[in-house]
Amino acid sequence: LLVAIDGPAGAGKSSVARALARELGFTYLDSGAMYRCVALLWLDSPEQQPAALAREARIEMREDSSRPGSTPRTILNGHDVTEQIRTPEVSEAASEAAADAGVREALVAKQRALIAAGDWVAEGRDIGTVVAPDAALKIFLTASPQERARRRAAELGADAATVLAEQMMRDERDTSREHSPLLKASGAVTLDTTGMTLADVVQRIAALARAARARY
Ligand code: DC
C-alpha cells in the first residue's frame, strides 16, 4: 500500500511522512532528496547534462537503526550526503534540476522501482499525479506561505523574511514549470496544516490510511 504526500516546501511533508511511516510501519521515501542529490552532482560538474547525472546516480536511503524515526541517511554513489544536500545552494539548484524533463524521467523511474514492492509513505511534488496516480491514499499537504517560511527558517536557523522571499520564487517555479508542475492529484485529500500540531496531522492521515487499507 502506498500513501502519496505532495505539497509545497515547508508544508511539513518530511516531518509528517517520516512520522506517519513510523506510525504505520511503512518505509519512507523522500523523493526531494533524490532531486537534491542530482543538484549536488550538477553543482560539482556544471558542464554535464543534469539528466545524464540523474540517470547514472546511485541513490540509496538508509534507515539509521540506532535512531528509529530519525531522518534516513541519503547515500549518493556510496557517500553519505544527508547534510550536504540541505544547503540553500542545493535547494536552489534542485528546483532548477527538477524543471528538466530528463531529470524527472530518470528519477521517476527510480522511484517507481523502489515503491513497486512493500508499503510506503512517499513524499514529493508529483507522487500522486505522476509517480503513482493509483496510490491507495493521496494527500495534498499545505499551509499558509508565512507559516511554511517560519517553519523552514526555524529548521535552518535563518531569517524568516529571507526564507519567505526565496520560497515564493521556488513555489512559483515548482507550480508553473512545464513538466510535472506541483498540482493537487485527482482524488487527493487536501490538508491545511496551518495551526495543526504534527501529531494531529499524523493521526488524521493514519486514520485515512487505515480506512484505505480496509478497502484494499
Ligand atoms: O522537498 P524538497 O525541498 O527536498 O525538494 C527539492 C526540490 O525538488 C524542490 O524544488 C521541488 C523538487 N521536487 C520535485 O520537483 N518533485 C518531487 N517529487 C520532489 C521534489
Side-chain angles (χ1 to χ4, degrees):
L1 191 132
L2 171 69
V3 180
I5 303 182
D6 294 300
K13 292 188 305 293
S14 301
S15 317
V16 168
R18 203 159 60 228
L20 180 71
R22 193 171 176 212
E23 166 84 18
L24 298 170
F26 290 13
T27 311
Y28 165 51
L29 174 64
D30 175 1
S31 65
M34 301 176 79
Y35 288 89
R36 288 170 178 275
C37 283
V38 173
L40 191 62
L41 294 170
W42 194 25
L43 287 168
D44 280 344
S45 310
E47 73 289 354
Q48 298 233 37
Q49 291 295 324
L53 294 170
R55 280 192 296 273
E56 286 154 27
R58 275 184 300 113
I59 305 169
E60 298 159 71
M61 309 284 173
R62 226 171 267 164
E63 300 279 339
D64 185 347
S65 52
S66 65
R67 294 164 62 219
S70 64
T71 311
R73 309 303 299 178
T74 303
I75 316 293
L76 172 60
N77 296 331
H79 302 286
D80 189 325
V81 295
T82 313
E83 278 82 32
Q84 249 179 298
I85 58 170
R86 297 293 154 189
T87 65
E89 194 189 12
V90 172
S91 299
E92 177 60 27
S95 175
E96 274 183 56
D100 183 295
V103 169
R104 303 206 67 86
E105 195 184 332
L107 295 188
V108 167
K110 289 187 202 292
Q111 290 154 18
R112 285 186 179 146
L114 279 172
I115 61 176
D119 292 320
W120 292 85
V121 176
E123 166 242 312
R125 304 293 189 289
D126 64 340
I127 307 297
T129 50
V130 175
V131 178
D134 54 356
L137 176 62
K138 297 183 243 182
I139 303 288
F140 193 77
L141 207 66
T142 181
S144 71
Q146 288 74 13
E147 170 91 0
R148 295 192 285 116
R150 197 187 56 69
R151 290 177 186 167
R152 271 269 151 129
E155 214 174 84
L156 297 167
D159 169 58
T162 311
V163 172
L164 179 60
E166 288 173 2
Q167 175 185 280
M168 282 169 75
M169 275 167 20
R170 277 212 306 282
D171 280 357
E172 167 66 21
R173 182 156 51 206
D174 292 342
T175 53
S176 65
R177 69 182 175 217
E178 185 184 352
H179 305 291
S180 311
L182 172 65
L183 278 177
K184 182 182 166 181
S186 91
V189 177
T190 298
L191 202 55
D192 185 330
T193 66
T194 311
M196 280 179 85
T197 67
L198 174 62
D200 286 344
V201 177
V202 170
Q203 286 317 315
R204 281 273 278 283
I205 305 176
L208 293 169
R210 291 188 183 107
R213 162 140 281 173
R215 279 198 307 276
Y216 268 67

